[in-house]
Amino acid sequence: MITLLDYGAGNVRSVINAIESLGETVEVVTCGEEILRAEKLVFPGVGAFGSMMEILEKKNLVEPLREYLYSDKPFLGICLGLQALFESSEEAPGIQGLGFIPGIVKRFTIKLSVPHIGWNSLNIKQPSRIFNGLTGDEKFYFVHSYHIVPEDNSVVLTTTDYGYKFTSSIQRGNIIATQFHPEKSGVPGLRILRNFLQINRASKRLVQVPGETRLAKRIIACLDVRSNDEGDLVVTKGDQYDVREDGSVRNLGKPVELAKQYYEEGADEIVFLNITGFRAFPLEDMPMLEVLRQTSKNVFVPLTIGGGIREYKDKNGRKYSALEVASEYFRSGADKVSIGSDAVLIVERYMKTGRTTDRSAIEEISRVYGNQAMVISIDPRRVYVKSSNEVKHRVIDTSAPGPNGERYCWYQCTINGGREGRNLDAVTLAQVCEKLGAGEILLNCIDRDGTNMGFDLELVNAVKKSVSIPVIASSGAGCEEHFYEVFTRTEAESALAAGIFHRKEVSIGAVKNYLKGKVEIRPLYVHKGRGRNK
Ligand code: 1PR
């Protein structure tokens, strides 16, 4: 029996699912006595340091947690569950942590994108039982803007490089805590969890080639989901956002099965987009919640859900905030939510007044769940102009002139699945969303969507250069070389594709094999019950 501390913010379902997939049962703690009775305690932290400590205080969990830690019974902290062990954090000045390990938590001060999102490796500094069965070359999933700085180096279990070297996990006796998420780190992550649970395993010292660890470029599979004309929830795919062929919605498979298949083939992340979310009330669209619940039982990489994350009134007049809608998705297994249409409307309001309301969906969701959980999905379309000062938008000098020889273009934001163009450009949208608290940009391109022509590198460069958060390049991937191109000719941290994977033209394994040795990627793993991923 594993005891899990859930203080009520974010996605603990993934941790529960990962532990249960190893054949263990999980008891979720609701009071201090249960912490003291625990034999093995797992503490996954999500959200922000300040609100975490306030909730722990309010629920009278701080003292039992300290007592448990000092008793040296097996403890695994994850992400904020690691940071909580320290004395304080720059994220919440004046708020005390558990103070179990001397040291503080600091924000990254680097030129690279923050948050540090994605798959990075570990430099192992001590023997530990959690490394049994690993080679030391594995990559693990990180998502954080702050990192720990222990006073005493003897607690450092691993370090990782991102701009500089930081401590990515600690070990003191039976207390182990990681900045990365084992529950979201595929096969090696599950291995770490299993090793933690088997407390009698011998400690292993891994011999590694010394050197800097490197963040991998991520390959993301996207599943556009909607009901077809028969009422079944299907994965579909459009050509420039038109998902109908001969009058019917294209049906490319079932969402839960396809997500599992892509995970096993090596996808670093899965994105679900409910593409009719702008029409219906998503919380009445229960199948999407069920899709997430089922997917998160078998898929141990990050899951993003978009489509219909916005404020809504149901038929009885009850109002739901976007935060409430998002919370339901987080509880069902989402790690991030993405906002499309509403982000455009929020930024338009901001541009009119020049002020934030502090209460927009972007601000509220990122405040509660952290910036890393708030993705903005942009659906831009090229608009050609003859001169760079013809419009007030951010105009680029394009190498692909327009139909009438226009040398310039700007990228117009659209809403409602590309149906309505707005008087706002994608660069401005991305910049304002970052200011409001967004942690990542999912950058689609209607002109390239489903065309197999390759990513719009000019668009990716224009947006990526204007923000300091990670950007996912999306739309147009047609072959392995297109991924190489986007990773070498832009600074995008990840690339997303849909059509080529669904139509089985190119597999995720083929993309990774092509990139291997040229671009840093997460290695492929063999999944039990499947043939070898090449
Ligand atoms: O506006 O907050 O409700 O969110 C709706 C979401 O649904 C947005 O993220 C929007 O991008 C998406 N969406 C709406 N309509 C469509 C459509 O296709 N008719 N899907 C749509 C956009 C997602 C792309 C696609 C890439 C890669 N498709 O990310 O997966 O273009 O495709 P490719 O590799 O085949 O070229 P809201």
Side-chain angles (χ1 to χ4, degrees):
M1 163 83 77
I2 309 303
T3 305
L4 184 127
L5 173 54
D6 174 13
Y7 60 92
N11 177 12
V12 296
R13 177 172 282 270
S14 314
V15 183
I16 296 173
N17 286 341
I19 296 174
E20 287 181 348
S21 80
L22 301 171
E24 286 283 352
T25 48
V26 178
E27 180 197 53
V28 178
V29 161
T30 48
C31 65
E33 291 80 67
E34 285 165 353
I35 293 184
L36 295 173
R37 278 204 301 272
E39 283 166 13
K40 291 174 205 150
L41 183 66
V42 177
F43 180 19
V46 195
F49 188 93
S51 63
M52 166 184 67
M53 289 311 303
E54 276 166 15
I55 299 172
L56 290 177
E57 285 281 1
K58 213 180 283 167
K59 294 192 169 176
N60 294 320
L61 296 173
V62 169
E63 277 318 310
L65 245 179
R66 279 209 186 101
E67 201 175 314
Y68 183 91
L69 290 164
Y70 282 105
S71 74
D72 197 36
K73 285 197 275 183
F75 173 92
L76 180 67
I78 299 173
C79 195
L80 264 188
L82 159 73
Q83 298 182 4
L85 304 178
F86 285 73
E87 291 163 306
S88 63
S89 171
E90 283 183 2
E91 191 180 6
I95 294 190
Q96 280 189 348
L98 295 169
F100 177 70
I101 297 199
I104 56 165
V105 182
K106 286 181 80 119
R107 191 176 161 86
F108 274 112
T109 43
I110 47 176
K111 289 213 179 87
L112 301 168
S113 300
V114 176
H116 169 219
I117 301 186
W119 300 78
N120 207 329
S121 323
L122 311 176
N123 259 313
I124 296 168
K125 302 292 179 193
Q126 297 184 35
S128 173
R129 75 170 185 282
I130 68 169
F131 299 132
N132 267 292
L134 300 185
T135 62
D137 293 336
E138 293 83 0
K139 289 200 184 283
F140 297 90
Y141 186 73
F142 286 83
V143 50
H144 59 128
S145 302
Y146 295 81
H147 63 88
I148 54 163
V149 184
E151 270 174 25
D152 171 9
N153 271 342
S154 70
V155 299
V156 176
L157 179 57
T158 63
T159 61
T160 294
D161 298 274
Y162 189 62
Y164 47 74
K165 208 171 278 308
F166 68 94
T167 301
S168 49
S169 64
I170 60 102
Q171 176 171 269
R172 188 165 110 183
N174 277 315
I175 312 303
I176 297 173
T178 64
Q179 183 59 66
F180 55 91
H181 289 260
E183 79 285 6
K184 286 282 148 193
S185 296
V187 173
L190 293 178
R191 186 78 201 209
I192 283 196
L193 283 176
R194 180 182 294 129
N195 289 340
F196 167 75
L197 300 176
Q198 296 175 347
I199 50 171
N200 295 325
R201 298 211 79 171
S203 283
K204 176 144 188 190
R205 176 179 288 279
L206 289 184
V207 183
Q208 295 177 299
V209 183
E212 280 191 8
T213 70
R214 292 175 65 193
L215 182 68
K217 298 287 186 182
R218 284 171 281 155
I219 310 295
I220 301 178
C222 182
L223 287 77
D224 288 357
V225 180
R226 61 161 287 167
S227 300
N228 66 8
D229 301 325
E230 287 74 48
D232 301 322
L233 202 66
V234 297
V235 173
T236 188
K237 184 67 211 61
D239 288 333
Q240 298 180 312
Y241 285 36
D242 179 2
V243 297
R244 288 186 181 269
E245 195 169 27
D246 303 327
S248 318
V249 172
R250 283 192 193 93
N251 178 351
L252 296 167
K254 295 184 178 168
V256 177
E257 277 87 341
L258 264 188
K260 179 166 183 272
Q261 179 192 322
Y262 293 146
Y263 161 63
E264 292 181 345
E265 285 177 9
D268 298 317
E269 261 180 67
I270 306 285
V271 173
F272 287 111
L273 296 175
N274 176 1
I275 67 169
T276 49
F278 66 92
R279 290 187 198 143
F281 175 42
L283 294 186
E284 282 160 10
D285 207 352
M286 294 312 277
M288 272 318 281
L289 293 170
E290 197 50 30
V291 163
L292 268 177
R293 287 189 199 110
Q294 294 307 325
T295 303
S296 62
K297 283 190 183 156
N298 296 304
V299 173
F300 300 107
V301 294
L303 300 175
T304 301
I305 173 88
I309 311 284
R310 63 191 157 84
E311 187 181 286
Y312 187 82
K313 234 186 228 165
D314 71 12
K315 42 186 180 287
N316 304 319
R318 150 92 155 93
K319 201 166 142 191
Y320 294 81
S321 67
L323 176 61
E324 284 176 282
V325 175
S327 299
E328 198 53 39
Y329 281 110
F330 287 122
R331 274 194 288 275
S332 303
D335 300 288
K336 315 184 211 178
V337 295
S338 97
I339 297 188
S341 306
D342 252 30
V344 176
L345 305 179
I346 289 166
V347 172
E348 285 178 352
R349 278 198 295 275
Y350 173 89
M351 298 300 287
K352 243 187 222 157
T353 61
R355 274 182 287 117
T356 71
T357 60
D358 214 32
R359 302 218 323 264
S360 70
I362 302 171
E363 290 157 294
E364 289 199 327
I365 295 171
S366 58
R367 204 159 32 234
V368 176
Y369 291 97
N371 311 54
Q372 80 294 334
M374 183 68 267
V375 181
I376 303 300
S377 170
I378 314 183
D379 300 311
R381 180 181 275 130
R382 260 181 190 229
V383 178
Y384 286 100
V385 285
K386 286 207 178 72
S387 74
S388 58
N389 49 16
E390 192 177 318
V391 285
K392 285 204 179 121
H393 302 294
R394 308 294 184 87
V395 168
I396 64 157
D397 188 349
T398 175
S399 62
N404 302 310
E406 297 94 336
R407 273 191 45 210
Y408 300 92
C409 73
W410 64 283
Y411 290 95
Q412 181 186 34
C413 292
T414 65
I415 59 172
N416 300 344
R419 285 167 184 78
E420 194 185 326
R422 308 290 291 193
N423 191 24
L424 178 70
D425 66 79
V427 173
T428 305
L429 178 86
Q431 286 181 322
V432 176
C433 288
E434 175 177 11
K435 199 178 285 179
L436 297 179
E440 199 170 21
I441 302 289
L442 164 51
L443 185 56
N444 303 298
C445 174
I446 298 180
D447 313 286
R448 294 293 174 107
D449 176 61
T451 62
N452 286 22
M453 285 167 62
F455 299 94
D456 186 334
L457 305 180
E458 291 181 333
L459 168 64
V460 178
N461 274 324
V463 171
K464 180 65 207 169
K465 285 187 179 143
S466 67
V467 294
S468 62
I469 52 179
V471 169
I472 303 168
S474 161
S475 303
C479 58
E480 295 90 327
E481 288 86 342
H482 289 152
F483 290 86
Y484 177 71
E485 199 175 63
V486 78
F487 288 140
T488 50
R489 292 178 54 194
T490 80
E491 297 288 317
E493 281 81 0
S494 45
L496 171 151
I500 51 167
F501 299 148
H502 303 334
R503 295 188 298 268
K504 303 196 180 351
E505 291 161 7
V506 179
S507 69
I508 293 165
V511 173
K512 288 204 161 177
N513 281 327
Y514 182 85
L515 295 177
K516 205 167 155 187
K518 303 185 186 92
V519 170
E520 188 73 12
I521 48 156
R522 176 176 76 108
L524 295 167
Y525 293 96
V526 180
H527 286 261
K528 262 197 208 147
R530 283 183 67 87
R532 210 189 136 64
N533 290 319
K534 282 201 300 160

